[in-house]
Amino acid sequence: MDEPAQAPSGEPDAFLGGRLFLRQPERGHRAGTDAILLAAAAPAEYADLALDVGSGVGAAGLALALTRRGAKVGLIENDPRTADLARENLVLNGMPDRGQVFEADALSPRSRRAAGLADESAGLVISNPPFFDARRSRPSPDEGKRRAHVMPGEGAGALEAWIAACLALARPGGSFILIHRPENLAAILASLEGRAGGVTVLPVHAREGAPAIRILLRAKKGSRAPLSIAPALTLHEGSRFTAIAEAIHRGDAAIDW
């Protein structure tokens, strides 16, 4: 049984109502709501290997493991310093036997193999990839933020390569869950063509009546089932979380879609 998380004073950030603690870089990208939503989008009773591609310090993968006691997680991260933090977070949260950090370039089959990652090994692959195209964004001067926010490569082909790498790690019939920006939906769907189907898209709104700020997308590898749109998730009501968003952030609810 997992040991309770222990939080050294003044260092880690608390998530899931204090059930999850994460050491994060003092500067650069820091995990937040996107990672928690991605973890909550996994099946509520998932009990197999889940791989978190581009895991950062492990926020989504560890949140998934803490809320699905039968799951094991693989955290795939290319940056050595960030991968070290992910390893620390596995231990900090009492899960050294339920998770592993794979220090690898997820886009490179050779790098994945060298790190011990086998293709078609996971029943579930999740990813919160860099959202921005290098050609259309002004990169942050901070290296950590730039790496977390800007997709390697250029154009739609860069996002397609990321999705193809994620699906390469999923078993036939396995699931792939992605969080992204709504304006990239067309490119995501095009990247899934011929690789995965049974796609469900769930819009995420900051407030009721406002445009979606994120999409969650779920697909099944090898499926030819049609596209469906799930009921939207609204995060805020006035200055507070909605009841469902609050429950998700405490780790008490999964997204029902």
Side-chain angles (χ1 to χ4, degrees):
M1 186 171 179
D2 298 336
E3 295 295 327
Q6 299 295 318
S9 176
E11 293 186 8
D13 297 317
F15 294 82
L16 301 183
R19 294 161 61 189
L20 172 66
F21 291 94
L22 297 175
R23 297 185 190 276
Q24 302 201 69
E26 292 184 6
R27 298 178 57 187
H29 175 75
R30 301 179 72 81
T33 288
D34 286 350
I36 300 305
L37 292 177
L38 181 60
E45 302 300 323
Y46 188 76
D48 198 348
L49 174 64
L51 294 176
D52 181 359
V53 177
S55 68
V57 299
L62 293 177
L64 187 158
L66 276 172
T67 52
R68 290 146 181 87
R69 307 290 286 187
K72 292 192 174 183
V73 293
L75 308 176
I76 306 173
E77 174 56 45
N78 193 32
D79 177 66
R81 290 173 295 178
T82 307
D84 283 343
L85 287 173
R87 293 185 186 96
E88 289 184 37
N89 289 331
L90 272 171
V91 174
L92 178 63
N93 289 282
M95 293 192 291
D97 298 328
R98 291 186 54 211
Q100 181 177 355
V101 176
F102 297 95
E103 192 173 320
D105 177 359
L107 302 182
S108 165
R110 178 180 293 180
S111 179
R112 296 197 304 262
R113 289 193 298 270
L117 273 167
D119 283 355
E120 300 191 341
S121 60
L124 172 64
V125 177
I126 65 173
S127 188
N128 177 15
F131 287 165
F132 298 109
D133 184 336
R135 300 177 305 171
R136 300 178 182 178
S137 62
R138 180 177 295 176
S140 169
D142 182 272
E143 180 185 354
K145 287 185 177 180
R146 186 168 60 250
R147 186 172 54 251
H149 296 167
V150 180
M151 178 68 72
E154 293 186 355
L159 179 56
E160 182 177 5
W162 188 281
I163 290 173
C166 290
L167 288 170
L169 292 165
R171 298 180 195 134
S175 295
F176 169 54
I177 300 176
L178 178 80
I179 189 165
H180 219 292
R181 293 168 64 93
E183 59 265 35
N184 290 309
L185 177 57
I188 294 167
L189 293 175
S191 299
L192 291 170
E193 187 70 31
R195 296 185 173 103
V199 176
T200 301
V201 178
L202 187 154
V204 179
H205 300 260
R207 289 174 175 78
E208 187 173 353
I213 56 170
R214 295 287 186 270
I215 54 168
L216 284 159
L217 181 144
R218 181 181 63 200
K220 180 174 287 190
K221 184 173 179 176
S223 173
R224 296 186 179 182
L227 171 74
S228 62
I229 306 295
L233 172 65
T234 301
L235 298 179
H236 295 95
E237 188 173 34
S239 61
R240 298 183 177 183
F241 278 135
T242 59
I244 183 60
E246 177 67 27
I248 287 169
H249 279 80
R250 289 196 311 265
D252 293 336
I255 294 173
D256 183 10
W257 62 329

